[in-house]
Amino acid sequence: MPQNQQGNISDGMWITPPLPRWTAVAAILLVVIFADAPGSARYTAALQNAAHGPAFALLLLLITNWIHQRHSVRQLQEIPPTRTSAHELLGIAIVGLIVTVALGICTEIIQWTIGRDAEVDDVVHDALGAGSAAALWLYWHQSRVGSVTVRYGLLLLSVGCAILWSLPLLACGFAYWDRAARFPVIGEFTSQGDLYLTEIRGSPAGITPADVTAAAAPQSPALEIALQGDRWPGVTLIEPEPDWAGYRTLVVEVSTATARPLQVNVRVDDSPEWNGANAYTGGFACAPRGLCVQSIPLDTLMSSQGRRLDLRHISRVIVFHNGPAPGERLRIHRVWLAR
């Protein structure tokens, strides 16, 4: 086989040295299994999940190029030498895709066995990243043996897979942008997308449509929570705009269909840590079968430690009921700040 000292075979293909290649493969797998993005914010988890796509795209390219190189070396040793056909390129890409996805499944199994999070969604992201790279690899190598239609179809497939694995990251970015754009509204519930930055305690829960026929007053869409099956059923609005300086009142709009008054509690935290010393609580009674709009002065929220609420570092707002109430439902329409 014609080959120079640097590893170039006669048709100009570069033979990747094995040590760097397999070191890179091992490094990617170890990072996927053991690495954690710093912080506990919702966007941190979204970034970590989205990173599976490009990681396994690179993994596929490393594996597929190795298979292709070995195949090309064998062809060049034949007499006369032959070139890889379109069908052979497709077979190489499929084998590389199967191996890469299998490695993705193995990483999740390893994470599960050592007590770390193992998720089917991660395998889906792995497959989409690998699929995007496989289609792009075929697009590149089909330049000499494939038709223009096939090549651009592969390019569209690659872009489509890349868009699919990036959708959760785009949804995360939109949720943060939307919350910042609505400020001083802290939370309102008009669609399922409004639940991205919330944590719900209580089941079942869901978005109810606007009720323009309500006897007392028209009611906007709301998050309806069944007050059962949980110690503190309600909703946590996580990671709101943290700087509340210049606002004096927190306004909570809720409603209930119960036949008796319902106690509603409000908690504001000024630290991401779940610590009673950082919790400022207040509450009010909501009249039966009606809409209740309650204004709570921020300086009346009480801490068990007597410390004043730090209005520049708000981390979460919780609207909840203290203890389960079987058969009762609470609708949370809107939470906002007023000056």
Side-chain angles (χ1 to χ4, degrees):
M1 177 185 68
Q3 181 176 346
N4 65 25
Q5 293 180 349
Q6 293 183 327
N8 278 334
I9 59 180
S10 60
D11 69 345
M13 179 181 294
W14 176 262
I15 296 295
T16 308
L19 182 59
R21 180 197 306 117
W22 299 119
T23 300
V25 169
I28 292 170
L29 294 176
L30 289 173
V31 167
V32 168
I33 294 171
F34 295 107
D36 283 325
S40 58
R42 186 63 57 87
Y43 67 82
T44 300
L47 285 171
Q48 183 159 326
N49 290 336
H52 279 253
F56 277 79
L58 179 57
L59 193 63
L60 177 128
L61 292 176
L62 290 168
I63 293 171
T64 304
N65 278 332
W66 173 70
I67 298 172
H68 184 218
Q69 287 171 3
R70 289 178 63 86
H71 181 75
S72 297
V73 167
R74 287 195 298 269
Q75 287 183 311
L76 288 172
Q77 291 174 333
E78 296 175 358
I79 299 175
T82 59
R83 290 187 179 275
T84 308
S85 67
H87 287 91
E88 288 172 323
L89 287 172
L90 177 61
I92 291 169
I94 291 174
V95 171
L97 182 62
I98 292 172
V99 172
T100 304
V101 174
L103 288 173
I105 295 172
C106 289
T107 61
E108 297 304 311
I109 293 174
I110 293 172
Q111 290 182 90
W112 175 72
T113 59
I114 62 177
R116 296 174 62 86
D117 289 338
E119 300 178 1
V120 174
D121 284 350
D122 287 344
V123 177
V124 173
H125 292 152
D126 299 343
L128 288 172
S132 178
L136 188 62
W137 185 88
L138 279 171
Y139 165 79
W140 180 264
H141 286 278
Q142 290 275 5
S143 59
R144 291 179 298 179
V145 295
S147 69
V148 173
T149 302
V150 170
R151 291 189 69 227
Y152 283 99
L154 290 168
L155 184 60
L156 288 175
L157 178 61
S158 176
V159 172
C161 288
I163 290 174
L164 286 175
W165 67 250
S166 65
L167 281 179
L169 191 60
L170 295 174
C172 176
F174 177 79
Y176 279 96
W177 173 85
D178 186 53
R179 174 164 285 186
R182 295 187 192 188
F183 189 76
V185 173
I186 306 300
E188 59 184 343
F189 307 98
T190 59
S191 68
Q192 292 297 321
D194 295 327
L195 301 181
Y196 189 90
L197 291 172
T198 65
E199 294 175 354
I200 300 172
R201 302 177 66 119
S203 178
I207 302 294
T208 63
D211 183 3
V212 297
T213 64
Q219 296 183 9
S220 59
L223 173 62
E224 183 177 87
I225 300 171
L227 304 181
Q228 58 190 18
D230 197 282
R231 188 176 177 185
W232 291 292
V235 60
T236 301
L237 305 170
I238 62 174
E239 302 176 53
E241 287 295 303
D243 190 352
W244 290 11
Y247 295 92
R248 300 179 60 185
T249 305
L250 181 67
V251 186
V252 180
E253 180 181 332
V254 299
S255 64
T256 177
T258 64
R260 59 185 179 84
L262 191 66
Q263 179 68 23
V264 178
N265 300 301
V266 178
R267 167 175 164 171
V268 179
D269 286 16
D270 61 2
S271 169
E273 298 179 0
W274 287 92
N275 189 324
N278 305 319
Y280 296 79
T281 57
F284 57 92
C286 185
R289 295 192 177 92
L291 183 67
C292 180
V293 181
Q294 184 71 27
S295 296
I296 305 173
L298 293 173
D299 58 7
T300 66
L301 294 173
M302 302 299 295
S303 167
S304 60
Q305 304 296 317
R307 185 170 60 84
R308 292 182 62 85
L309 179 65
D310 185 352
L311 292 177
R312 294 189 180 275
H313 298 92
I314 304 301
S315 62
R316 68 181 67 88
V317 180
I318 310 174
V319 180
F320 65 101
H321 182 267
N322 188 11
E328 308 286 4
R329 293 176 179 269
L330 175 66
R331 291 180 178 176
I332 304 169
H333 297 264
R334 197 163 174 250
V335 181
W336 72 96
L337 294 171
R339 297 187 184 276

